[in-house]
Amino acid sequence: MMKHILCNWKMYFSYNHAIKWIDDHGQQLKELADSSKHTIAIFPSIDACAQVRERLNNKSISIGAQDCAPYASGAYTGQTQACSLQEMGLQYCIVGHSETRHAYHLNNETIAHKIEQLNKTKVIPVICIGESQHDHEHDKTIEVITRQLEPLIPFLLPEKNYYVAYEPLWAIGTGTTPSPKYIDTISSHIKQYVRTHCSSRVSVMYGGSVSSATITQLSESVEVEGFLIGKASTDFQELKKIVTLL
Ligand code: PGA
């Protein structure tokens, strides 16, 4: 089955490093994308998005941003307008990644306003949700996921595509992954919750320690339509293995 491979480069690369990565592996990446049934998207730091897109210049590979502002415009130092992402030719934008939630103390309402801004563009929001280790250990996952989704519902438009990336915090960067059955239970809940509260359709991705060592087991999850890959996506050979194993 076709899957979406979303490569979240986080802040692993400087501008020069990201460009060098594309110069070194861009051609092979294009060949991989062209010969694969899966779609591939790269999410560099915002500084490198335009150059990475220009250098790849390939219809099979999309580019996405890692965040955007919850405001349209104004005196917000350091922020990026959602409409700039469209102007730069980007197809996706991650919102509410646990690392940005943590670093900027984001609440679910602010994340809803980021989605509201992206709704004015063709950019597809990749909405990250997930429970902490503590919530997981106390069987609070469904409750936490529901609490994260609830304020977003009024901002989901019926005619727009949304991705929800289920990323348990205890799986991000730890090498530990949930079982396919667990991922399917949470993914079904996400789809079911959205379906009963609005007429938008969401595609569910899984993220957290996706690698060539975990992808075969993770791909047994029938409810997920793709993967948000952090660290492993910064190593071309590793990324190629993941795509090939899928
Ligand atoms: P990881 O990160 O693949 O390095 O665990 C995933 C993410 O944070 O999106």
Side-chain angles (χ1 to χ4, degrees):
M1 217 166 69
M2 188 270 277
K3 301 277 187 200
H4 302 292
I5 316 280
L6 310 179
C7 303
N8 178 11
W9 280 3
K10 307 192 180 190
M11 203 191 70
Y12 285 118
F13 297 149
S14 70
Y15 174 82
N16 280 350
H17 197 160
I19 303 309
K20 182 166 184 329
W21 196 101
I22 297 300
D23 288 347
D24 290 348
H25 309 296
Q27 189 51 38
Q28 285 174 278
L29 182 67
K30 284 189 223 180
E31 286 163 14
L32 183 65
D34 288 338
S35 63
S36 172
K37 61 178 180 212
H38 309 302
T39 71
I40 300 180
I42 306 282
F43 293 70
S45 299
I46 192 68
D47 47 83
C49 282
Q51 258 309 309
V52 167
R53 181 180 170 272
E54 207 173 304
R55 284 183 188 229
L56 280 173
N57 188 24
N58 186 289
K59 290 232 172 327
S60 327
I61 306 167
S62 309
I63 308 297
Q66 297 177 12
D67 200 8
C68 71
Y71 328 100
S73 65
Y76 302 105
T77 304
Q79 302 268 342
T80 306
Q81 291 188 14
C83 73
S84 301
L85 309 182
Q86 176 158 311
E87 289 166 10
M88 289 161 75
L90 309 190
Q91 275 96 335
Y92 297 102
C93 179
I94 294 173
V95 290
H97 190 282
S98 59
E99 287 152 9
T100 55
R101 282 181 193 254
H102 178 77
Y104 304 113
H105 309 288
L106 296 184
N107 56 32
N108 294 319
E109 284 67 29
T110 307
I111 290 154
H113 289 298
K114 288 175 189 265
I115 295 170
E116 186 180 26
Q117 294 307 320
L118 289 167
N119 284 345
K120 301 175 192 166
T121 73
K122 291 196 172 75
V123 177
I124 299 173
V126 180
I127 307 159
C128 297
I129 57 175
E131 81 284 11
S132 68
Q133 172 95 41
H134 180 270
D135 297 329
H136 172 59
E137 283 166 2
H138 290 81
D139 282 334
K140 292 236 173 353
T141 304
I142 295 286
E143 190 185 317
V144 170
I145 295 288
T146 308
R147 213 183 309 128
Q148 289 172 333
L149 283 174
E150 200 182 358
L152 311 185
I153 296 293
F155 296 89
L156 301 184
L157 307 177
E159 67 277 12
K160 194 169 166 76
N161 278 338
Y162 299 91
Y163 290 2
V164 172
Y166 169 54
E167 298 205 296
L169 271 63
W170 51 273
I172 296 177
T174 60
T176 309
T177 54
S179 69
K181 194 164 166 267
Y182 184 89
I183 297 172
D184 277 341
T185 304
I186 309 304
S187 304
S188 301
H189 172 72
I190 294 168
K191 289 180 192 176
Q192 173 76 25
Y193 184 83
V194 173
R195 210 180 302 127
T196 40
H197 291 86
C198 65
S199 48
S200 310
R201 188 189 166 274
V202 297
S203 305
V204 178
M205 311 290 137
Y206 167 79
S209 294
V210 179
S211 70
S212 62
T214 59
I215 193 66
T216 306
Q217 197 194 342
L218 289 170
S219 63
E220 287 169 24
S221 306
V222 292
E223 296 288 344
V224 301
E225 289 155 70
F227 297 94
L228 183 55
I229 313 174
K231 185 71 181 161
S233 72
T234 62
D235 174 340
F236 177 72
Q237 295 308 330
E238 176 67 0
L239 176 61
K240 187 176 171 184
K241 261 195 228 164
I242 294 170
V243 176
T244 316
L245 283 167
L246 255 179

